[in-house]
Amino acid sequence: MASSLQIHHFPQDYYIDSLRWLPQLSTFHHHIILASFHSDSSTCSLRLLNFTDENSTSNAPELTLQCSLTTPSRITSLKTSQNSSKPLVVAATFSGELLVYTADLVNGSLEFVDLVNGLGRVKGIDVSENGLEFVSVGEDGRVNWVGLDGGKLSKRKVFDSNGLVSYGAVKWASPVEFVSGGLGFGLQWWDQRRPGGPVSQFKANWTRGTTSGIVHSIDIHPSRKHTCLAGGSSGTVFAWDLRWQQQAIMLSGVGTSDLSALSPSESDVWEVQYDNYTASSNYRNISESRVLPAMICSEDGILAVIEQGEEPIELLAEPCAINSFDINRQNPSASAKRFKVSGSGKIMRRRAGKQHLLAKKNTKRKNRLSKTVQVDRSDYNNVIGALPYLKDEDTPLLDTLSQL
């Protein structure tokens, strides 16, 4: 897995706080949004860059700046939506604003939509699946909901601890539920249908009182929304399964004696994501009782893959901190393995239900589940965005499909 990894360095003259992939226009042209800070001029900005990979062994990929916009203050959290030809870019700033832009990928520009302020010291934000709702959490214990309607933002206070609690990360779990993380390696499950506070909590201190740990990042896999993945101080990465809330599953950290859960880093884990790139082909073979593989980046410059019960795999070690990373959702191992285009131009997929609980299914049913079926027409727009990674001879078919 790690031996086939190709690493390209693009030195920059500014500090990068966060970065995110944007939906791609073609197979070899991608876009990246950066939250940057220039220490000499104290300038904070959002930068839209074009990443060009001509898929040639002789030419290295190129990274070209297309647009740069100054922000009111330094960006503390950056997220994007993936469901539009003009995706949203959402940024929270140190001074308490939430800024929304649209990225025009054809013209290579960022267009300001609206902002809302007065959110407090925001540390984490997330964008809902429909791209119209945002949730923010802050160091001062505030939890806010922000909605986008007709190009205008509105906000609503969800919770205010008046400084008694500190939050560092947040992640949507469903259209009405989200998970927050904060001081003491705690996670909180929120349900907007039940206001007043979190409906469930998990609290632990993996460092056994030696440090005051805090959760910096949370991820939830779309196929296993009952499990929350969290990373934070002292190289700690753990998973909280809502089906067994009394005990979290330790994946790495200095507070564990399990050799297979030793952390590749002993410093802060700034970001954690389920690894749908290097290990995506193995997802279907992993039991639901196990935590899916995760990728982390840390303060001491480590980029690594962590898997439950296995020794961590170090992908990259830099002499400086790795503040942020992102995995392209439209990568070959996550897309081309799951969809095929038939000779008549239909997008085909595998059936669900063939990977588990097979003992109670008869042979006829298992044979039926082994056959591929056509993707529903209502899902074509979502699937086509990932299809440029299919074989080159399928490209003319994709041009036809995109017109449907």
Side-chain angles (χ1 to χ4, degrees):
M1 178 170 61
S3 60
S4 61
L5 185 70
Q6 294 185 358
I7 299 174
H8 302 279
H9 289 83
F10 301 95
Q12 307 296 317
D13 60 353
Y14 45 81
Y15 193 89
I16 299 174
D17 290 314
S18 185
L19 81 165
R20 293 287 178 261
W21 286 103
L22 291 167
Q24 64 191 63
L25 288 177
S26 67
T27 305
F28 306 122
H29 294 270
H30 317 264
H31 286 84
I32 302 171
I33 190 76
L34 294 180
S36 65
F37 173 71
H38 201 289
S39 57
D40 293 338
S41 61
S42 297
T43 302
C44 312
S45 61
L46 277 175
R47 294 171 178 255
L48 179 65
L49 299 100
N50 181 34
F51 179 82
T52 305
D53 183 2
E54 297 297 342
N55 199 27
S56 170
T57 56
S58 58
N59 297 323
E62 296 182 358
L63 196 63
T64 306
L65 176 65
Q66 291 192 304
C67 176
S68 178
L69 295 179
T70 302
T71 58
S73 62
R74 198 162 179 173
I75 292 172
T76 58
S77 186
L78 180 67
K79 291 295 173 68
T80 61
S81 69
Q82 301 284 327
N83 57 352
S84 171
S85 58
K86 285 190 175 182
L88 291 179
V89 176
V90 186
T93 68
F94 184 81
S95 53
E97 295 100 350
L98 189 143
L99 309 167
V100 178
Y101 302 85
T102 56
D104 187 339
L105 303 183
V106 176
N107 297 316
S109 63
L110 291 171
E111 301 172 3
F112 177 73
V113 175
D114 199 9
L115 70 83
V116 61
N117 51 30
L119 299 179
R121 298 196 300 273
V122 176
K123 286 293 290 182
I125 57 172
D126 196 30
V127 182
S128 65
E129 189 173 347
N130 63 16
L132 300 177
E133 295 179 89
F134 322 110
V135 61
S136 73
V137 296
E139 290 179 324
D140 51 5
R142 298 191 201 181
V143 181
N144 294 285
W145 173 92
V146 178
L148 179 64
D149 185 12
K152 295 295 181 181
L153 293 174
S154 60
K155 66 177 180 179
R156 182 183 75 242
K157 182 176 69 175
V158 176
F159 183 75
D160 189 350
S161 72
N162 296 314
L164 297 179
V165 180
S166 179
Y167 300 110
V170 66
K171 182 71 177 181
W172 284 102
S174 76
V176 294
E177 299 168 298
F178 58 88
V179 179
S180 63
L183 193 64
F185 292 129
L187 291 180
Q188 304 82 32
W189 187 276
W190 304 77
D191 190 331
Q192 296 189 86
R193 296 165 297 189
R194 298 170 61 183
V199 297
S200 184
Q201 297 192 61
F202 172 79
K203 294 183 179 180
N205 192 344
W206 300 112
T207 58
R208 300 175 183 175
T210 56
T211 60
S212 57
I214 189 169
V215 170
H216 296 304
S217 179
I218 301 173
D219 197 16
I220 298 177
H221 196 275
S223 68
R224 303 188 183 186
K225 294 189 176 183
H226 55 271
T227 303
C228 311
L229 185 68
S233 307
S234 304
T236 303
V237 179
F238 66 93
W240 181 38
D241 194 321
L242 295 176
R243 299 171 296 181
W244 301 286
Q245 298 187 19
Q246 292 76 19
Q247 182 64 45
I249 302 170
M250 192 70 174
L251 299 181
S252 75
V254 298
T256 177
S257 59
D258 186 355
L259 293 179
S260 64
L262 291 179
S263 175
S265 168
E266 295 186 1
S267 64
D268 289 65
V269 173
W270 290 127
E271 189 148 17
V272 59
Q273 293 186 32
Y274 280 109
D275 177 22
N276 64 348
Y277 183 74
T278 61
S280 62
S281 60
N282 298 323
Y283 274 175
R284 61 183 180 272
N285 299 322
I286 298 177
S287 167
E288 285 196 5
S289 63
R290 287 172 55 87
V291 180
L292 295 174
M295 190 178 291
I296 68 166
C297 70
S298 67
E299 174 69 22
D300 54 1
I302 300 297
L303 182 70
V305 173
I306 297 174
E307 186 171 355
Q308 184 181 356
E310 304 289 341
E311 292 190 10
I313 300 175
E314 185 178 290
L315 303 179
L316 184 64
E318 290 290 297
C320 58
I322 301 179
N323 299 319
S324 179
F325 75 94
D326 198 21
I327 300 173
N328 191 350
R329 303 182 190 183
Q330 299 168 336
N331 65 75
S333 55
S335 303
K337 295 179 187 299
R338 288 161 172 77
F339 302 105
K340 300 295 180 182
V341 178
S342 70
S344 59
K346 297 178 182 178
I347 304 178
M348 309 300 291
R349 63 169 176 83
R350 297 193 302 267
R351 289 179 181 269
K354 184 65 191 308
Q355 307 302 326
H356 57 88
L357 302 177
L358 299 179
K360 67 178 184 180
K361 298 172 183 176
N362 58 40
T363 302
K364 182 177 180 181
R365 184 181 179 187
K366 287 188 285 188
N367 288 338
R368 180 174 60 84
L369 293 175
S370 297
K371 299 177 181 179
T372 58
V373 294
Q374 183 180 356
V375 173
D376 190 271
R377 293 282 178 175
S378 62
D379 292 325
Y380 266 37
N381 287 338
N382 294 329
V383 175
I384 287 174
L387 288 177
Y389 286 101
L390 290 175
K391 298 180 296 182
D392 291 341
E393 56 264 30
D394 291 330
T395 302
L397 296 175
L398 297 180
D399 293 337
T400 303
L401 292 172
S402 64
Q403 304 300 318
L404 298 177

